[in-house]
Amino acid sequence: MEAVEDSRHGGVDLCPWGKFDRATVMAYSLLFHLIDVGAVAGVLWDRFLTPSQRNVISGGLEVSQEQARSLVSFLAAMHDIGKLIPNFQFCEPAARIRLGEDLLADTGPVANVPHARASMHAGLRLLGELGFAISGNDSPAVRAAQCLGGHHGRFLQLDVDGAASVRRIQAALGGPVWQDLRRRYTQLLWHLFGADRAPDRMSAEAAVLITGLTMVADRVASQRRYWVPNAHTPSFGAAEHHTHARRQAEEEVERLGLPRFSLDQVPFTTAHPGLKEPNALQASVMEELPQLVAGRGSGIAVVTDAMGAGKSVTALETARIFNEHCGTQGVTWLLPATAAADQTYDVLDRYVRSHQPAYAPVTLVHHHSDLNEAYTGRRLSPADATVLDGPPDDPFTDDHEQDGLFAADETEPGPRAAGPDRWLRGRDNALLAQYTVSTTDQAQMAVLPVRYSALRMLALSGKTVVVDEAHALDPFSQLQLLRLLNWLGALNSPVVLLSATMPASIASELVRAYLSGAGRTGLHGVSFAPGYPGWLFVDAATATAHHMSEPARGQQRAAQSRTVRIRMRPITYRRFGQDGRNIEAGERLAVIAEVLQPVVRDGGCAAVVCATVADAQDTYAYLRRMWTGPPHDLVLVHSRVGERRRQDTLGELRRELGPAGPRPARRVFVTTSLLDMSLDIDVDLMVSDLASLARLLQRLGRLARFARRWTGKDRRPAWWGRDNSPTLTVLHPVNSRGETTLPPGWGTVEPSVTLHETARLLPDLEKEPLVVPDDVQALVEQVHGVTSGFAAETGRLRQMAVAHQNRTSGEQQLSAVHLVPPPIRVSSLADLHRQHLTTAQAATRPGVLPRRLLPCYRSPDGTLTLDAAGLLPLPDQEHLSTRHLRSILEHTLPVPAAWVTRASARHQPPASWKQHPLLADTLLLPTDFTTRESEQRFGQHWLRMDEQLGLLHRKQQ
């Protein structure tokens, strides 16, 4: 009855504040904010969480779904109970005057305890009074209290008999009056949200999802435009406000596009425009997989097929089947590179729109997704900078933290942004969309000890996760992927792995990681090879492997069969240099020019794929000197140009060389490994520097890619005879004795041992045409499989193999240091944040993280501009508009951090940029207006921006 009385107008003290706006001197009742967040959490349970996620939470609490909903809403509402302490209530003098005399008189010594930690400490005892058992690290009260303390992004360690003891709470968090009011708030929230009994357990998986949901609910209810109107309304009782809060929450969750939706059933040809019917592999998935998933439940699928054979469509059909039968909704599509993600975004967006939903946001998530024209622009409202709310729920906050200052997560700062537009600018928020394309590193953050990792895990679970190019990760990143798959298995989220060149050993390892998370044991050494081409489905319930039928596999192999030739050309490797020297016969550049002659003379489309950016720049500079056609027919694309130029060039290539593009009469483009990742283009001729066999096979996928689709169409040059198989020319660097000799720098792109082994195999491949897909898997296993015998070929190769294994082990150990434990090994939730890494520090790939470099121009008076004409001054102001931000970022490019560690004062950006998370680490490379000289020294490294070649680098010896 006390809670019922407190819920009425005048029943409980509403003066303690939870939000304060300095612009309007407006305070908002803490209790009302708690009710707001709990109401939003309830709506998110109904509209945002999928049946699969609700099952994980209710199962982890061992209660019914109705009871689980009430408990989740209650715990979300309790997140800020730690604001009901003197330290927080006194931090804003204009809001402090709202407090009653009884609270002011009972203050005692004011201890500097951050409110998130106070929520955990005070919440532990309050939860215990409601029946939550308090015992070990995995007891319900301890984990639930850690959920309260973790709502600002990191789980904190809870000392039950120390800082969370009754004595310490009374000494640090206010006297009996404060404690009694916190108790009344807690009982009132317990009553309003319909919780009737405490759970007997709380699994780590359930705790992570509950915390992630609380973060989302808090962000929704903390929007300035969300709570300020409520603060202006006449005072209501808690029960009346709860009724209003539920209606407001439903409207806001709908406005933000968070509710889950189902796509209507449409014919295959409607869902995949341009296809007349499914191929044999796709038809097999559509016919055989539904009954398996319906009977067995969620699991992991592996799809292997030749390059350009339609794996994306197969993935979408597999995801549709999983979502229909596994209680999941939507797709998160992970790719290893931004260029691949940009193209796949178009594919997924087109697929979703083909179903004609009323509203279906598709998001793109990578480090510069905001430069993609298809992605929504983002802006932070300046008015939001007046909101005082403790540590902000801002995914970019980590970028400002400095080494040794991680305690800043728990300090009470001054005014911070809490604006409505964070939904559009926060990368972790973008992951919440039902359909998302992301680079793999954004998902890997879910298993690294960074802030908001629980929110990322919430965003990934409940959907089908597609891991494209699953073979392309190095050992460092692959270990993180294995841990991510382990968690997805524990969260009962289906997964689809795609690859054209994945060794059976890697496929088996990935599948076993997923099954281990799902609780299946005793699988060490069990092979889960899918066959090639083909698909494999392993259900999480029994770890039983289900394969594509052999007749369907035979049909797919026959339908996709084509022959290609690999021709090996020995070359002498010498750099072109900047002096424009004469190139001798047999040199790498001379051989490239020779192979390209048919295109230069008679037209066609060709690609030259170089091992490094420096080689691509050399190649382009040499070809440009001898080029006689229109300048735009020769194209250079690599990573060391401005973001906008790179994206525009890749977009134009996809448009012109795609399946329906206006194919040009002649086009030669010089590039790097950008070509290896999911570019749906077709070239008539290809030249490649020596690369691993897996990469060469990937590149073959762009050579005459649409030959079958263009049967009967005259889209090839005159020299491309029908009897001639498409040919990939591989440049083999050798010394005077004809031995493979890798140029400096090539061994850092790929392991030297795989390059040497590929070079050893290529002469045999020259003898007969290569049949795709029949020959692919066997070749991949020879070089990249665990059964490869190349290490025993010679003593030199053995030494390389040992060095490669040592490097691999080192990368794995370094990666493992930062990984969060698998769910089964989580005791205290603080185990998930034993290390306090920021998103800037959490490496998802080995090596030093890159820095952003901005080429610009400096006038005689010192003015900096983005353009040579001096018409676009560098923006230097406190609040940057979307237009300003985009204009800066689209001119930047990534460079290794080692190149710019010795930056001088002239390379520093405007001071205002240091406060912006996307610009704080940017350095300038200014070109003098008068001399046009841009070469700058950074210690031993010299950098110069060439308008045509991009960034040129040389190191002083």
Side-chain angles (χ1 to χ4, degrees):
M1 289 300 296
E2 292 181 1
V4 174
E5 292 297 325
D6 281 345
S7 69
R8 296 171 180 166
H9 181 57
V12 72
D13 187 359
L14 300 177
C15 292
W17 61 278
K19 300 285 182 185
F20 185 80
D21 183 19
R22 284 178 173 167
T24 59
V25 197
M26 179 64 61
Y28 188 50
S29 167
L30 171 61
L31 179 59
F32 282 7
H33 171 63
L34 301 183
I35 293 173
D36 288 344
V37 174
V40 173
V43 174
L44 291 174
W45 175 280
D46 298 331
R47 307 290 305 280
F48 171 75
L49 289 187
T50 64
S52 173
Q53 290 171 309
R54 292 196 287 266
N55 287 336
V56 170
I57 295 175
S58 60
L61 298 175
E62 292 185 349
V63 299
S64 68
Q65 292 216 1
E66 182 179 359
Q67 291 172 317
R69 182 190 188 278
S70 297
L71 287 169
V72 168
S73 300
F74 164 72
L75 290 174
M78 285 285 289
H79 76 291
D80 268 351
I81 195 68
K83 286 185 177 179
L84 192 49
I85 61 173
N87 182 54
F88 182 88
Q89 293 295 318
F90 293 178
C91 71
E92 176 52 53
R96 175 180 177 175
I97 62 175
R98 292 167 47 95
L99 300 179
E101 293 297 329
D102 56 342
L103 290 174
L104 294 174
D106 190 44
T107 297
V110 178
N112 184 20
V113 181
H115 79 261
R117 186 172 288 276
S119 291
M120 179 177 67
H121 288 166
L124 176 70
R125 301 301 168 180
L126 295 169
L127 292 169
E129 293 174 5
L130 295 173
F132 287 73
I134 303 177
S135 55
N137 282 332
D138 60 351
S139 63
V142 172
R143 282 190 169 170
Q146 287 181 306
C147 290
L148 306 186
H151 77 273
H152 275 307
R154 287 196 174 104
F155 291 112
L156 308 173
Q157 183 61 50
L158 179 57
D159 185 356
V160 175
D161 299 320
S165 65
V166 174
R167 180 181 59 83
R168 292 280 293 274
I169 291 173
Q170 292 174 345
L173 304 184
V177 177
W178 291 88
Q179 176 65 12
D180 181 65
L181 189 56
R182 289 195 294 266
R183 181 179 293 110
R184 291 174 67 183
Y185 273 23
T186 300
Q187 293 173 345
L188 177 55
L189 295 172
W190 184 258
H191 163 69
L192 288 176
F193 291 105
D196 54 7
R197 75 177 183 88
D200 294 328
R201 70 180 291 263
M202 178 181 286
S203 69
E205 298 92 328
V208 168
L209 294 187
I210 290 170
T211 306
L213 190 73
T214 301
M215 293 175 187
V216 178
D218 191 25
R219 292 185 182 190
V220 172
S222 294
Q223 298 174 98
R224 184 179 184 275
R225 58 169 204 80
Y226 189 92
W227 63 264
V228 167
N230 294 339
H232 284 290
T233 59
S235 297
F236 296 134
E240 189 174 3
H241 181 75
H242 178 239
T243 301
H244 165 74
R246 286 183 297 179
R247 292 196 300 267
Q248 185 181 17
E250 290 175 353
E251 294 171 358
E252 188 63 16
V253 169
E254 181 73 30
R255 188 192 74 84
L256 293 175
L258 290 174
R260 297 310 186 206
F261 55 88
S262 298
L263 296 180
D264 294 336
Q265 295 243 353
V266 298
F268 178 87
T269 53
T270 302
H272 309 286
L275 297 182
K276 297 180 180 179
E277 61 182 7
N279 63 30
L281 191 149
Q282 294 156 2
S284 173
V285 167
M286 296 165 64
E287 293 168 6
E288 301 175 43
L289 188 59
Q291 60 182 357
L292 292 173
V293 179
R296 302 278 185 156
S298 182
I300 183 170
V302 184
V303 178
T304 60
D305 202 0
M307 300 66 67
K311 290 187 296 298
S312 296
V313 172
T314 307
L316 290 171
E317 288 300 312
T318 305
R320 175 185 60 80
I321 294 167
F322 276 143
N323 290 337
E324 286 178 0
H325 298 286
C326 299
T328 52
Q329 294 174 297
V331 172
T332 295
W333 201 316
L334 306 179
L335 297 109
T338 58
D342 287 341
Q343 175 154 315
T344 302
Y345 174 80
D346 297 336
V347 173
L348 185 59
D349 185 56
R350 185 168 59 248
Y351 172 79
V352 173
R353 285 189 288 107
S354 70
H355 293 76
Q356 298 184 344
Y359 177 71
V362 180
T363 57
L364 175 65
V365 188
H366 59 67
H367 69 293
H368 273 164
S369 54
D370 47 350
L371 295 183
N372 187 302
E373 292 294 344
Y375 194 59
T376 307
R378 298 188 272 273
R379 181 176 62 86
L380 173 63
S381 172
D384 297 320
T386 64
V387 177
L388 180 63
D389 185 31
D393 292 328
D394 189 333
F396 295 124
T397 301
D398 283 342
D399 294 342
H400 293 304
E401 297 173 356
Q402 303 297 319
D403 292 342
L405 297 180
F406 301 115
D409 288 343
E410 299 184 42
T411 60
E412 303 289 358
R416 292 295 186 95
D421 292 327
R422 74 162 60 93
W423 292 100
L424 298 178
R425 66 189 176 91
R427 292 188 182 90
D428 50 3
N429 278 340
L431 284 169
L432 296 169
Q434 185 166 335
Y435 288 91
T436 300
V437 176
S438 170
T439 46
T440 310
D441 59 343
Q442 296 295 325
Q444 289 168 222
M445 292 289 183
V447 291
L448 292 174
V450 299
R451 289 185 73 182
Y452 309 110
S453 57
L455 187 146
R456 290 176 186 266
M457 194 64 75
L458 173 78
L460 292 171
S461 65
K463 297 184 281 188
T464 296
V465 178
V466 178
V467 184
D468 206 344
E469 309 284 1
H471 64 280
L473 298 178
D474 51 61
F476 184 98
S477 303
Q478 191 181 83
L479 195 62
Q480 296 178 353
L481 176 60
L482 290 170
R483 185 58 47 84
L484 176 62
L485 291 175
N486 186 275
W487 272 87
L488 291 175
L491 294 168
N492 207 32
S493 296
V495 171
V496 183
L497 306 177
L498 302 180
S499 180
T501 55
M502 183 159 58
S505 56
I506 293 180
S508 297
E509 188 177 20
L510 296 174
V511 171
R512 287 195 295 265
Y514 178 89
L515 296 174
S516 175
R520 308 285 74 82
T521 59
L523 300 176
H524 182 70
V526 178
S527 175
F528 292 101
Y532 195 94
W535 59 265
L536 166 82
F537 167 62
V538 186
D539 65 88
T542 67
T544 303
H546 311 272
H547 291 83
M548 178 184 184
S549 66
E550 281 303 321
R553 189 194 309 277
Q555 292 176 15
Q556 177 71 2
R557 186 181 294 114
Q560 299 295 333
S561 180
R562 65 189 184 103
T563 60
V564 292
R565 288 189 177 275
I566 294 180
R567 183 174 58 170
M568 198 171 181
R569 294 288 301 271
I571 56 100
T572 301
Y573 180 89
R574 287 185 63 193
R575 293 291 306 274
F576 184 44
Q578 301 180 19
D579 54 358
R581 65 179 181 83
N582 292 325
I583 302 299
E584 300 177 1
E587 285 192 39
R588 173 181 174 276
L589 295 176
V591 173
I592 291 174
E594 176 191 338
V595 175
L596 291 177
Q597 277 307 304
V599 176
V600 175
R601 185 179 59 249
D602 299 320
C605 299
V608 182
V609 192
C610 304
T612 67
V613 172
D615 292 324
Q617 292 170 327
D618 261 9
T619 303
Y620 177 82
Y622 176 68
L623 293 177
R624 187 180 60 187
R625 188 177 73 174
M626 55 166 286
W627 195 256
T628 57
H632 63 266
D633 282 352
L634 181 62
V635 179
L636 174 66
V637 55
H638 56 71
S639 60
R640 287 187 213 149
V641 295
E643 292 281 350
R644 171 56 57 204
R645 174 179 164 185
R646 183 180 61 82
Q647 289 209 11
D648 286 349
T649 305
L650 284 173
E652 185 69 11
L653 288 174
R654 290 199 302 263
R655 186 183 70 85
E656 290 188 338
L657 305 182
R663 198 169 183 84
R666 178 189 292 104
R667 185 75 80 246
V668 173
F669 71 96
V670 181
T671 186
T672 57
S673 58
L674 287 175
L675 187 70
D676 301 345
M677 301 297 176
S678 301
L679 286 180
D680 192 22
I681 61 174
D682 174 299
V683 295
D684 306 309
L685 184 149
M686 185 180 294
V687 187
S688 172
D689 279 327
L690 178 65
S692 68
L693 194 60
R695 287 203 175 192
L696 294 179
L697 292 171
Q698 287 285 340
R699 292 169 189 177
L700 273 174
R702 280 83 192 169
L703 183 59
R705 186 182 185 93
F706 308 133
R708 287 183 174 274
R709 191 180 306 188
W710 291 348
T711 300
K713 297 180 180 179
D714 187 18
R715 306 203 72 179
R716 298 293 180 192
W719 55 264
W720 206 86
R722 293 192 177 186
D723 296 333
N724 296 328
S725 298
T727 302
L728 167 64
T729 300
V730 179
L731 307 178
H732 178 207
V734 296
N735 59 20
S736 59
R737 297 184 299 276
E739 300 171 337
T740 303
T741 304
L742 299 182
W746 283 26
T748 62
V749 178
E750 292 189 274
S752 298
V753 65
T754 60
L755 296 180
H756 278 270
E757 171 58 7
T758 299
R760 189 183 69 83
L761 288 179
L762 286 180
D764 292 335
L765 298 182
E766 282 189 291
K767 298 174 182 177
E768 296 289 339
L770 181 67
V771 180
V772 178
D774 301 49
D775 298 337
V776 171
Q777 191 65 35
L779 292 173
V780 169
E781 298 294 344
Q782 285 189 62
V783 176
H784 302 276
V786 293
T787 59
S788 172
F790 66 83
E793 188 67 23
T794 66
R796 184 162 167 251
L797 279 178
R798 278 198 299 272
Q799 291 177 356
M800 290 182 184
V802 170
H804 173 55
Q805 290 299 325
N806 290 340
R807 184 167 56 251
T808 297
S809 298
E811 289 183 8
Q812 290 175 336
Q813 289 178 350
L814 180 60
S815 181
V817 165
H818 293 160
L819 279 176
V820 304
I824 196 172
R825 288 174 47 203
V826 174
S827 177
S828 168
L829 294 178
D831 293 342
L832 300 176
H833 288 101
R834 288 294 180 194
Q835 301 174 78
H836 281 192
L837 294 183
T838 68
T839 52
Q841 295 167 325
T844 55
R845 295 178 183 177
V848 181
L849 295 174
R851 294 287 298 270
R852 306 299 303 182
L853 192 67
L854 175 65
C856 56
Y857 297 85
R858 189 188 302 275
S859 66
D861 64 359
T863 301
L864 294 169
T865 64
L866 290 171
D867 64 323
L871 302 177
L872 299 173
L874 258 64
D876 183 7
Q877 57 202 58
E878 184 177 356
H879 298 293
L880 293 172
S881 68
T882 302
R883 179 175 57 84
H884 284 146
L885 184 59
R886 181 174 285 116
S887 67
I888 295 169
L889 292 177
E890 67 185 11
H891 285 81
T892 65
L893 61 148
V895 297
W899 291 5
V900 291
T901 52
R902 301 287 297 276
S904 63
R906 71 193 308 263
H907 302 126
Q908 299 304 317
S912 62
W913 292 16
K914 291 296 183 182
Q915 304 305 314
H916 198 291
L918 291 180
L919 303 178
D921 291 333
T922 303
L923 292 172
L924 305 183
L925 182 66
T927 296
D928 187 271
F929 261 122
T930 305
T931 64
R932 292 301 192 218
E933 177 55 48
S934 68
E935 188 168 43
Q936 312 262 329
R937 182 177 181 177
F938 296 79
Q940 291 182 304
H941 299 272
W942 291 80
L943 302 178
R944 179 171 70 87
M945 194 66 186
D946 185 278
E947 293 184 2
Q948 291 185 313
L949 300 180
L951 184 70
L952 299 174
H953 165 259
R954 63 184 178 90
K955 185 176 181 180
Q956 185 176 3
Q957 300 300 322

